[in-house]
Amino acid sequence: MTMTSQMQLDRLMAGTHHDPFQYLGCHPSGKGKQWVVRAWLPSADSAELCLEGEQTIALSRVGKSFVFDVTLSAAQKSALPQHYTVQWVENGRTHRAVSPWTFWPQLGELDLHLFAEGQHWHLYEHLGAHPRTVDGVEGVQFAVWAPAAARVSVIGDFNGWHGLRHPMRTNGTSGVWELFIPGLHSGDLYKYEIRNYETGHCLIKTDPFAQAMELRPATGSRVFQTRHDWQDRSWMQRRADFDWQRQPISIYEVHLGSWQQDDAGGFLNYREIAHRLADYVNWMGFTHIELLPITEHGLDQSWGYQTHGYYAPTSRHGDPDDFRYFVDVMHQHGIGVYLDWVPAHFPKDEFALARFDGTALYEHQDPRQGEHQDWGTYIFNYGRNEVRNFLIANALYWLKEFHLDGLRVDAVASMLYLNYSREDGEWVPNEHGGPENLEAISFLRQLNEQVHAQCPGTVVMAEESTSWPMVSRPTWMGGLGFSMKWNMGWMNDTLAYFEQDPIYRPYHHDQLTFSQMYAYSENFVLPLSHDEVVHLKRSLADKMPGDLWQKMANLRLLMAYQLCHPGKKLLFMGSEFAQWREWNEQIGLDWDLCDNPVHRGVQLFLKDGLALYRQEPALHQRDFESEGFAWIDCHDYQQSIISFERRAEWVDEKGRSHETVLVCVFNFTPVPREGYRLGLPEPGRYQELINSDAELYGGSNMGNGRGLETQAVEWMNRPVSAEVTLPPLGALVLKRCPTETE
């Protein structure tokens, strides 16, 4: 045995060989007149090489190593299949498998080049575990990025979780390791054993690109191959031309684990939830749902925001095809699906991304840049090409492979600022000495450009709580490129106002009116989200002041205000029927409350309000244009009343432009206002389209049921006006009745 061969054998035995294929498999010997076949069989007692037919040749153990070999003549080599089979005995049991050491590298140079540049947008088709048929042999192709590794091995049930059984080969300087293992199938469990080059320490890691994982607390990755046959073609075709800026978008925010549960308080399968949720969302009238993160996570209490399986739908509710079925059903019912996506941070779990190859691979090494002290999590290194590629390809993966209609990007503010939630000395300034995270800004712009270019009609929404400019403006204008931004200012001001006892509301009137100072600086979503009904903040219903009647009236008034205010809408589950207790991710919603007339009234009001929102273009067509809104009276703070117009434009069959105007009036006190003079845009008769105080909704049934006739009295810069009855803690939406000519 030459020194070179001995060195390679020693490295194999030590678990430090970067390319076992240099030594294992079939190699010429003796100037090509002979061939040596080497098999790597830790734990084997004996082994044989299978030739054509039933012929076998005994393999001999090399010393005390795990290598078995045999030297073949040229004639014997000609009878050896390219992908030959090895048979071995281990603990008295006989095993057969095609040798993995007979296959050429499966990753192409272009794939590795694009990954190194950070621009391989279908990276998930190459890294991870993928069932393949190579040269007629079925198996699974594994590939993982671990540049600081001295060795990476695939371990799993199929090899007794033995770290030396299936060492991988490295692809040059790319840091990517790969191995095709014949005989494996979809469903097999696996992980990677990674030996760090510097320390020699071995880590057991889940696959960052795993498309399925075990149910917590188990953490294994699972090979998965989709077999789902999509039935949502018509939806996908319409989505490509979806003009989301001018269409109604009302989002029902859902945590799948606690929306409904089975009789034992356990998780429902995605397929079970799909039909229940689709029927309910359709009945209520929401246009979209937004799922709290369903990417795999170990801790239920994290609600999915401590993600460790970025490419795997959580196995709590089934496998990835069960989730595909869920999305498919939603689309067939005309419901869009958004996903809460978390690229701002990841947990420190030892089995996952953290210090993946023994170094800070996905995160920054410096804790001043790489850790969120508040959350106990790591921060992605957005300046590293491969990390950016991991995240952007992940976003595209959910939109393309699961047909999702958009992403809500969590905690964007924490990404934009290097000094986010940090004191002086706890952060590193950028190259210009400022607090802006230039690498994260570049990443977000590239993310939005790729999503909008590759997935027309989808949206990307930012949860961004600061005054960062142009979040939802195109990158070519200098913006971040998001489609929309959550309006956290509106949410905070509105809830702070509603929590005030009405007697004090006149002193906080600006919290209602201030939003119009910036309402069109971004494309806003108005969120009443999960964050507002947990951690002792109380449910929306319980936040409201007053007795039970006033609480419910206030809640209906809040919903009406959200529906009429410019911006797309989002409401967290349970709020629609005035759930009384705070949300608890461990417990299903209190659906029995819907049988209570008090709670049922709130639910019915929102149902009718959502129908009105969809049907009336004035309530959604110009959400992001100042021309779609006009104050009638924003100054009546003493009576806590505001009124405004919402406008839409349309073109008749002769090409003439017209405008539809709705009048929205809100009384934020429990005092009825009869004979309240209201300026109106045009003379004529006006009718109530909706009244939040209707008896059907649990109100006192005050209002203007017979309609209103305008009077030739100018008021609040309007040519006409009318005396209106404003119900207590009530909202009205009025519309002029068309004349016979019209």
Side-chain angles (χ1 to χ4, degrees):
M1 181 180 288
T2 65
M3 180 63 70
T4 301
S5 294
Q6 184 63 54
M7 290 176 60
Q8 295 205 61
L9 177 57
D10 291 343
R11 290 171 65 191
L12 272 170
M13 291 298 294
T16 60
H17 205 308
H18 70 286
D19 188 359
F21 288 78
Q22 290 182 2
Y23 181 70
L24 301 176
C26 185
H27 296 273
S29 175
K31 297 183 179 179
K33 294 182 179 180
Q34 292 180 317
W35 297 78
V36 61
V37 176
R38 301 186 184 98
W40 176 248
L41 298 168
S43 305
D45 300 315
S46 62
E48 296 176 306
L49 179 64
C50 301
L51 303 178
E52 290 182 342
E54 299 297 322
Q55 295 184 19
T56 62
I57 298 178
L59 294 167
S60 301
R61 185 186 296 274
V62 178
K64 295 182 179 181
S65 73
F66 299 149
V67 174
F68 292 75
D69 73 0
V70 65
T71 300
L72 303 180
S73 66
Q76 289 174 312
K77 168 63 170 66
S78 65
L80 188 70
Q82 177 187 357
H83 302 301
Y84 54 81
T85 297
V86 174
Q87 180 172 290
W88 72 96
V89 177
E90 182 178 328
N91 296 326
R93 299 182 62 184
T94 300
H95 306 268
R96 289 171 61 95
V98 175
S99 172
W101 318 115
T102 65
F103 293 87
W104 291 100
Q106 300 300 304
L107 286 174
E109 291 185 6
L110 180 59
D111 294 317
L112 298 174
H113 172 75
L114 290 174
F115 179 43
E117 284 195 335
Q119 298 189 66
H120 197 318
W121 307 130
H122 295 91
L123 186 63
Y124 50 85
E125 295 178 351
H126 301 276
L127 267 62
H130 300 279
R132 296 272 194 269
T133 299
V134 179
D135 298 334
V137 179
E138 292 185 355
V140 174
Q141 166 73 11
F142 295 91
V144 65
W145 179 53
R151 171 183 55 84
V152 181
S153 297
V154 185
I155 58 176
D157 289 336
F158 47 86
N159 62 17
W161 299 92
H162 196 305
L164 294 180
R165 285 286 293 271
H166 286 100
M168 307 174 79
R169 76 190 333 156
T170 188
N171 278 275
T173 59
S174 67
V176 176
W177 300 72
E178 68 161 290
L179 182 66
F180 177 75
I181 304 181
L184 300 191
H185 306 90
S186 181
D188 286 338
L189 285 173
Y190 71 99
K191 286 188 177 182
Y192 296 115
E193 182 176 284
I194 301 174
R195 178 176 178 137
N196 178 263
Y197 184 81
E198 292 290 336
T199 66
H201 181 61
C202 285
L203 307 166
I204 307 299
K205 293 288 190 177
T206 54
D207 187 351
F209 286 85
Q211 297 186 11
M213 300 190 75
E214 285 187 284
L215 176 64
R216 56 94 179 99
T219 58
S221 303
R222 193 180 296 278
V223 179
F224 189 83
Q225 185 171 34
T226 181
R227 301 185 186 280
H228 182 72
D229 181 19
W230 288 97
Q231 303 297 316
D232 64 346
R233 294 172 187 81
S234 61
W235 170 275
M236 296 297 286
Q237 289 170 358
R238 293 195 305 273
R239 190 186 76 180
D241 299 318
F242 180 49
D243 183 10
W244 52 267
Q245 297 192 56
R246 288 178 162 257
Q247 293 298 316
I249 294 180
S250 53
I251 305 167
Y252 186 52
E253 190 187 28
V254 178
H255 177 259
L256 287 182
S258 57
W259 182 72
Q260 283 187 3
Q261 298 177 339
D262 64 21
D263 294 339
F267 298 115
L268 295 172
N269 185 276
Y270 290 115
R271 295 174 186 262
E272 295 176 278
I273 305 172
H275 294 281
R276 298 186 191 188
L277 185 57
D279 289 344
Y280 180 69
V281 169
N282 265 343
W283 181 78
M284 281 297 300
F286 290 98
T287 64
H288 293 72
I289 60 170
E290 181 177 303
L291 302 176
L292 267 66
I294 54 87
T295 40
E296 193 59 85
H297 54 284
L299 184 65
D300 292 356
Q301 290 82 355
S302 80
W303 312 333
Y305 291 96
Q306 298 276 17
T307 293
H308 65 247
Y310 273 79
Y311 284 82
T314 177
S315 55
R316 289 167 174 81
H317 307 290
D319 66 30
D321 274 358
D322 293 331
F323 183 60
R324 286 181 172 90
Y325 180 90
F326 172 91
V327 177
D328 209 345
V329 168
M330 291 296 156
H331 286 173
Q332 292 175 56
H333 283 76
I335 302 164
V337 183
Y338 299 144
L339 175 64
D340 209 333
W341 187 60
V342 191
H345 59 105
F346 61 92
K348 296 182 177 181
D349 298 316
E350 291 184 358
F351 62 85
L353 290 180
R355 302 299 193 261
F356 184 75
D357 61 359
T359 67
L361 186 61
Y362 286 88
E363 66 273 30
H364 278 281
Q365 177 69 41
D366 190 335
R368 296 175 299 169
Q369 296 173 282
E371 293 188 34
H372 277 306
Q373 302 293 346
D374 293 352
W375 304 334
T377 54
Y378 285 130
I379 301 171
F380 283 104
N381 184 349
Y382 305 108
R384 193 163 193 169
N385 286 347
E386 295 90 345
V387 175
R388 292 160 68 105
N389 203 155
F390 171 81
L391 289 170
I392 296 175
N394 182 249
L396 296 170
Y397 169 76
W398 290 105
L399 299 174
K400 291 182 175 183
E401 296 297 315
F402 291 91
H403 291 200
L404 297 182
D405 303 293
L407 303 170
R408 177 264 195 185
V409 182
D410 179 63
V412 171
S414 75
M415 301 169 67
L416 293 174
Y417 296 95
L418 295 165
N419 62 346
Y420 181 86
S421 192
R422 297 175 187 272
E423 302 295 333
D424 290 343
E426 296 179 348
W427 58 283
V428 180
N430 63 33
E431 61 190 55
H432 306 296
E436 300 83 8
N437 189 333
L438 303 180
E439 295 169 343
I441 294 167
S442 173
F443 159 72
L444 291 171
R445 286 173 171 162
Q446 189 177 32
L447 164 73
N448 289 315
E449 287 170 354
Q450 290 303 319
V451 168
H452 291 134
Q454 297 192 40
C455 305
T458 61
V459 301
V460 189
M461 296 171 281
E463 187 218 9
E464 202 286 309
S465 55
T466 73
S467 57
W468 189 280
M470 302 179 71
V471 171
S472 59
R473 295 294 178 260
T475 57
W476 55 266
M477 291 179 61
L480 294 181
F482 284 95
S483 315
M484 291 177 275
K485 170 182 172 174
W486 274 25
N487 194 335
M488 310 297 279
W490 174 90
M491 178 197 70
N492 289 324
D493 285 348
T494 299
L495 291 180
Y497 180 86
F498 270 86
E499 289 183 55
Q500 296 288 337
D501 187 291
I503 196 171
Y504 300 116
R505 286 178 178 173
Y507 307 104
H508 299 272
H509 197 70
D510 60 313
Q511 290 179 316
L512 293 176
T513 59
F514 180 67
S515 62
Q516 283 302 310
M517 300 295 292
Y518 61 87
Y520 313 103
S521 62
E522 302 278 3
N523 300 334
F524 280 122
V525 176
L526 309 179
L528 295 172
S529 73
H530 64 280
D531 278 328
E532 307 315 310
V533 294
V534 290
H535 301 324
L536 302 181
K537 292 181 182 179
R538 298 176 294 166
S539 67
L540 287 188
D542 197 21
K543 290 180 193 286
M544 301 296 110
D547 58 21
L548 179 61
W549 188 94
Q550 291 192 24
K551 284 179 179 293
M552 296 303 166
N554 268 304
L555 184 54
R556 296 192 301 271
L557 182 58
L558 171 62
M559 292 174 172
Y561 179 59
Q562 182 193 38
L563 288 170
C564 294
H565 192 287
K568 308 308 179 186
K569 327 299 177 186
L570 180 141
L571 185 69
F572 185 58
M573 65 181 198
S575 300
E576 78 276 12
F577 59 80
Q579 174 153 305
W580 195 253
R581 63 172 174 84
E582 277 193 340
W583 171 53
N584 182 341
E585 77 283 344
Q586 302 288 341
I587 305 172
L589 297 182
D590 298 330
W591 290 103
D592 57 319
L593 292 177
C594 296
D595 297 327
N596 183 312
V598 173
H599 295 266
R600 182 74 167 177
V602 174
Q603 186 183 41
L604 290 175
F605 169 72
L606 182 60
K607 180 180 186 297
D608 290 349
L610 288 169
L612 182 67
Y613 168 71
R614 294 192 315 275
Q615 294 162 7
E616 289 291 340
L619 292 179
H620 60 254
Q621 185 195 77
R622 307 176 82 177
D623 272 330
F624 308 138
E625 306 169 23
S626 60
E627 294 80 5
F629 177 94
W631 284 114
I632 296 175
D633 190 349
C634 62
H635 301 294
D636 194 357
Y637 68 92
Q638 292 178 320
Q639 299 186 88
S640 297
I641 296 171
I642 62 172
S643 52
F644 54 76
E645 298 170 355
R646 294 298 309 278
R647 298 174 175 270
E649 52 188 1
W650 54 281
V651 178
D652 64 21
E653 57 189 15
K654 296 183 178 180
R656 294 173 297 192
S657 296
H658 301 271
E659 191 171 55
T660 298
V661 182
L662 299 186
V663 174
C664 308
V665 195
F666 305 86
N667 177 13
F668 294 98
T669 71
V671 180
R673 307 290 181 181
E674 297 187 76
Y676 184 85
R677 184 161 293 279
L678 178 69
L680 294 169
E682 295 180 272
R685 183 173 181 81
Y686 285 75
Q687 62 177 344
E688 289 181 355
L689 297 184
I690 198 166
N691 179 344
S692 70
D693 191 52
E695 185 177 5
L696 174 65
Y697 309 138
S700 61
N701 219 32
M702 290 191 68
N704 309 270
R706 296 182 179 180
L708 299 164
E709 292 288 348
T710 59
Q711 302 166 351
V713 177
E714 294 185 16
W715 198 260
M716 299 304 297
N717 295 317
R718 298 302 187 277
V720 294
S721 60
E723 292 186 348
V724 183
T725 296
L726 301 183
L729 296 172
L732 305 176
V733 177
L734 307 174
K735 184 178 183 181
R736 187 174 67 86
C737 302
T739 64
E740 291 184 7
T741 303
E742 292 171 329

